[in-house]
Amino acid sequence: MVLICYNINMPFLFIIILLLSPISVLGQQFKEFQMPNSKWRGVATDNFYIFYDGNNRDLALRVAIQVEDLRNNCLESFGCAKRNLNKKARIILYSSDNEYKRLVPHKDAPSVTHITPGRESIVRVNIFHPRHSNGLETVESSVAYEINHVVFAQLCPTGGPDWASEGCAMLSDSSHKDRWERKLVKDASQNKFWHFEQFMNSEHIPQYDSDKAHTYFAQAYGLADFLTGPNGLGTKAQFMQFINDAQIIGYEESLQKNYGIRNYEELQSMFNQYIEKKIALKNEEKINGQSQWRPAAPIKTQPTITPMPYIVPTPNP
């Protein structure tokens, strides 16, 4: 999940490193550090500071081994050459559930990325979130998901819309692909999706883990897949150009410029056809005389998203 913060009138804390020592793990070079008068220790890579407390050094090193490759692979998927972040991002691994929840607005999310245009990104991960402890996913998979948000923010100077960043992150998460595919066709057939003008211009994600939020994520996944997937309209590089242009000229003009789609209504019609193909594909996969999966009614759209109050995160550590 990504949270974009604007006009935060509070200074970000400086990272003061008390100890900086090189370490080699699986042929990769890192530097370990310790915060003065603090429980926090960390590992530094080329683009990230990875903070941990307690006895989580091994986990921090596992994350350190992966993050640069994850980031480079994500950049490559957008058609971009490798390049460093202007400011190192922070990945904070919390072993305290209460401390994590004190700092994030979506307290039930296993991980969150705070994006402030012009400042460093902060990825917060709750090590002991139930989804990490019951095997549904790992801390490393949550970090991988959030790295997509860091890259998206790097390529979209304004931070970009939540739906676009979330949609691209979900497409990269193969472990949950089937889940979102099922949710996509189910909610589309039940007319739960918002009109694209309302959806694309929405400023907030609905309350995390609510049914409305799950529908929001399903629509974000579907639209990103439609515009960038193997059976969609274009590439992720084209999609990023569309998003950046839209911040200047608006979505309809950017749709016309980058995809040749005239307006929201034409986008909706084409998206409905994309959904119908997915439903047909699922019907073909049914076996042993099971009933076919069909839409309950012609696919339409629904009300606008209700804005959710946003809590500015405290930049700690």
Side-chain angles (χ1 to χ4, degrees), residues 70-82 151 236:
L70 287 168
R71 183 178 165 278
N72 288 334
N73 291 340
C74 191
L75 280 170
E76 185 178 352
S77 74
F78 281 105
C80 297
K82 296 179 183 179
V151 171
K236 289 181 73 173

Side-chain angles (χ1 to χ4, degrees), residues 43-63:
V43 182
T45 71
D46 290 343
N47 289 281
F48 298 93
Y49 291 116
I50 302 158
F51 292 88
Y52 66 92
D53 60 353
N55 299 313
N56 296 306
R57 179 174 180 266
D58 287 347
L59 174 60
L61 288 174
R62 290 205 308 270
V63 170

Side-chain angles (χ1 to χ4, degrees), residues 94-257:
Y94 290 91
S95 59
S96 167
D97 187 64
N98 288 335
E99 187 172 10
Y100 172 84
K101 289 181 177 179
R102 181 173 62 83
L103 295 168
V104 301
H106 297 281
K107 303 185 188 306
D108 295 326
S111 58
V112 169
T113 297
H114 298 295
I115 302 294
T116 304
R119 293 183 173 177
E120 73 269 48
S121 302
I122 303 177
V123 177
R124 303 184 190 275
V125 182
N126 185 352
I127 294 176
F128 294 110
H129 189 281
R131 287 175 64 180
H132 293 148
S133 61
N134 65 13
L136 286 176
E137 58 191 68
T138 64
V139 170
E140 291 96 322
S141 68
S142 287
V143 170
Y145 184 92
E146 302 299 339
I147 293 302
N148 282 271
H149 292 319
V150 174
V151 171
F152 190 92
Q154 181 184 10
L155 300 180
C156 187
T158 63
D162 286 344
W163 67 263
S165 185
E166 293 293 349
C168 287
M170 284 188 285
L171 287 177
S172 71
D173 185 7
S174 58
S175 63
H176 292 283
K177 180 177 174 62
D178 288 344
R179 170 194 173 193
W180 290 116
E181 286 283 330
R182 291 194 300 270
K183 181 67 172 172
L184 173 66
V185 294
K186 178 181 177 182
D187 284 4
S189 70
Q190 293 177 357
N191 302 327
K192 287 188 175 182
F193 286 161
W194 291 273
H195 186 278
F196 276 124
E197 181 175 9
Q198 297 166 335
F199 179 76
M200 296 167 81
N201 288 284
S202 62
E203 295 182 358
H204 299 285
I205 299 174
Q207 183 61 48
Y208 183 81
D209 221 18
S210 65
D211 184 64
K212 188 173 287 189
H214 292 164
T215 296
Y216 177 95
F217 283 116
Q219 189 167 355
Y221 169 87
L223 184 54
D225 184 55
F226 172 59
L227 295 176
T228 70
N231 299 316
L233 296 183
T235 64
K236 289 181 73 173
Q238 186 178 353
F239 179 75
M240 185 56 67
Q241 186 63 54
F242 158 67
I243 293 297
N244 280 320
D245 287 344
Q247 309 311 300
I248 301 171
I249 62 177
Y251 283 110
E252 284 195 313
E253 288 192 41
S254 188
L255 282 169
Q256 174 68 46
K257 175 183 175 182

